Amino acid sequence: MKTIVNPAEVHSLVRQWRQAKKSIGFVPTMGALHEGHMELVRASRRQNHVSVVSIYVNPLQFGPHEDFSQYPRTMEKDLELLRREKVQLVYAPTNLEMYPKVFSTEIKVGGPVVKGLCAPFRPGHFNGVATVVAKLLGAVQPNRLYLGQKDAQQVAVLKRVVQDLNMDVTPVVCPIVREHDGLAMSSRNQRLTLEGRKIAPVLFRALKVGKSIVDLGEAVPEKVLEEIRKVITEERKIKLQYLEAVDAETLEPSKKIGSGTMIALAAYLDNVRLIDNIVL
Ligand code: AMP
């Protein structure tokens, strides 16, 4: 496994792979790797000749009051995990490599994919994500791009970017990997207190309550969301930021809940922002 910090070196390796007609799978991450990331890596390993994983905590996608400085960084452990999965290349650029002094291009995403959910609460976030992923795709030029359903809005945004900018890459979306108690795995979970960690699985439990109500025939979004909200607000330490029912593809608000609806939420617990979703 090679670790490279500079895009020109990535280009020269990628050129060799392309000449040898090898398909390239790419998994962008911010490190602090867990099983959620590793499932993306394994999917890429299964479906491509070579796999590239990037590790980069992208300052552009964090707001001024967000957790950029507290975001967990565990590079040595991450490299060991990726070595075990036999990844061919880790691209771990420095901030200066990614955003040199002279840098003036940013991607701006508009439309329904950035109307609701996280977007109003994280201004600039998805532009930062789109910009960094476009840069990473420019360096790695993969055939397939592996993304997790955990960050459903990020998936919708990046699918738009790929289509709108005619990028020759196929997004592959992998299911949410959860802890044994249902909590969606996240690098941020390690910042929860012991008590918070015990409370956090209520988010998925509440989403499942919503699903069971839909399974019983309820299709009015407000009614389903109200029942989910009730379960969550029983936990006083959790501050729900949003809870929405949207079309899983377009992210437009659902007028009726049914197959193809995604119920998504964000909540604060111990000052840690958690997100989760369920697609019906
Ligand atoms: P991050 O390091 O948080 O930027 O995540 C990198 C990639 O891993 C993104 O495509 C995420 O959606 C994906 N990912 C993170 N957590 C999970 C999870 N629990 N299950 C599936 N994919 C995940």
Side-chain angles (χ1 to χ4, degrees):
M1 186 178 84
K2 274 197 169 185
T3 304
I4 293 181
V5 298
N6 138 326
E9 270 181 66
V10 178
H11 280 160
S12 84
L13 204 57
V14 165
R15 214 171 289 130
Q16 291 171 29
W17 287 334
R18 293 218 156 236
Q19 271 165 7
K21 302 227 177 308
K22 290 190 194 282
S23 62
I24 305 171
F26 175 47
V27 185
T29 82
M30 298 205 297
L33 301 182
H34 50 66
E35 271 300 299
H37 299 110
M38 299 322 283
E39 278 300 302
L40 303 187
V41 171
R42 287 177 201 125
S44 171
R45 289 285 293 125
R46 280 195 302 274
Q47 296 171 358
N48 302 279
H49 296 110
V50 292
S51 290
V52 181
V53 177
S54 66
I55 298 179
Y56 181 60
V57 185
N58 173 36
L60 220 57
Q61 72 190 66
F62 287 81
H65 305 294
E66 291 184 354
D67 58 351
F68 176 70
S69 60
Q70 292 116 290
Y71 199 85
R73 288 157 170 91
T74 57
M75 185 62 90
E76 284 313 310
K77 186 172 159 242
D78 293 350
L79 292 177
E80 186 46 43
L81 288 172
L82 296 173
R83 213 170 278 127
R84 268 189 239 158
E85 295 297 333
K86 302 194 166 40
V87 164
Q88 280 78 5
L89 172 61
V90 176
Y91 178 34
T94 60
N95 283 331
L96 211 60
E97 291 284 358
M98 283 306 261
Y99 304 114
K101 270 211 175 104
V102 185
F103 181 83
S104 37
T105 306
E106 197 176 339
I107 293 182
K108 184 166 168 282
V109 184
V113 286
V114 289
K115 262 243 152 77
L117 307 179
C118 294
F121 300 100
R122 304 192 72 187
H125 169 70
F126 289 110
N127 291 343
V129 168
T131 303
V132 80
V133 174
K135 278 178 70 73
L136 294 167
L137 290 172
V140 178
Q141 300 163 61
N143 301 83
R144 297 188 186 86
L145 167 65
Y146 291 83
L147 302 168
Q149 174 62 23
K150 153 107 190 321
D151 299 85
Q153 192 167 20
Q154 175 167 287
V155 169
V157 164
L158 292 175
K159 279 183 171 174
R160 271 264 56 83
V161 170
V162 163
Q163 240 185 52
D164 291 351
L165 301 184
N166 305 118
M167 292 176 167
D168 188 15
V169 61
T170 305
V172 179
V173 184
C174 299
I176 301 179
V177 179
R178 299 180 180 280
E179 302 285 357
H180 63 280
D181 55 10
L183 175 65
M185 287 194 184
S186 163
S187 306
R188 289 186 168 99
N189 292 351
Q190 44 178 294
R191 294 185 35 233
L192 291 170
T193 60
L194 264 177
E195 192 197 355
R197 177 62 190 81
K198 280 187 194 147
I199 293 172
V202 75
L203 297 176
F204 185 51
R205 271 206 309 278
L207 289 173
K208 283 195 297 187
V209 166
K211 182 183 179 318
S212 65
I213 295 167
V214 175
D215 288 343
L216 289 172
E218 183 56 72
V220 178
E222 260 324 305
K223 289 198 176 153
V224 177
L225 297 181
E226 194 42 46
E227 292 306 314
I228 298 174
R229 206 173 283 123
K230 267 190 211 156
V231 178
I232 296 172
T233 46
E234 271 168 31
E235 289 294 352
R236 307 283 290 275
K237 284 194 75 184
I238 295 190
K239 300 229 174 336
L240 193 60
Q241 188 175 55
Y242 70 76
L243 172 67
E244 286 184 43
V246 298
D247 180 278
E249 289 297 319
T250 64
L251 304 193
E252 283 173 297
S254 302
K255 294 195 180 76
K256 221 178 121 204
I257 295 194
S259 166
T261 300
M262 174 173 76
I263 302 177
L265 59 79
Y268 276 94
L269 175 58
D270 290 336
N271 254 337
V272 179
R273 190 171 181 277
L274 302 173
I275 56 172
D276 202 350
N277 67 76
I278 193 167
V279 177
L280 305 174

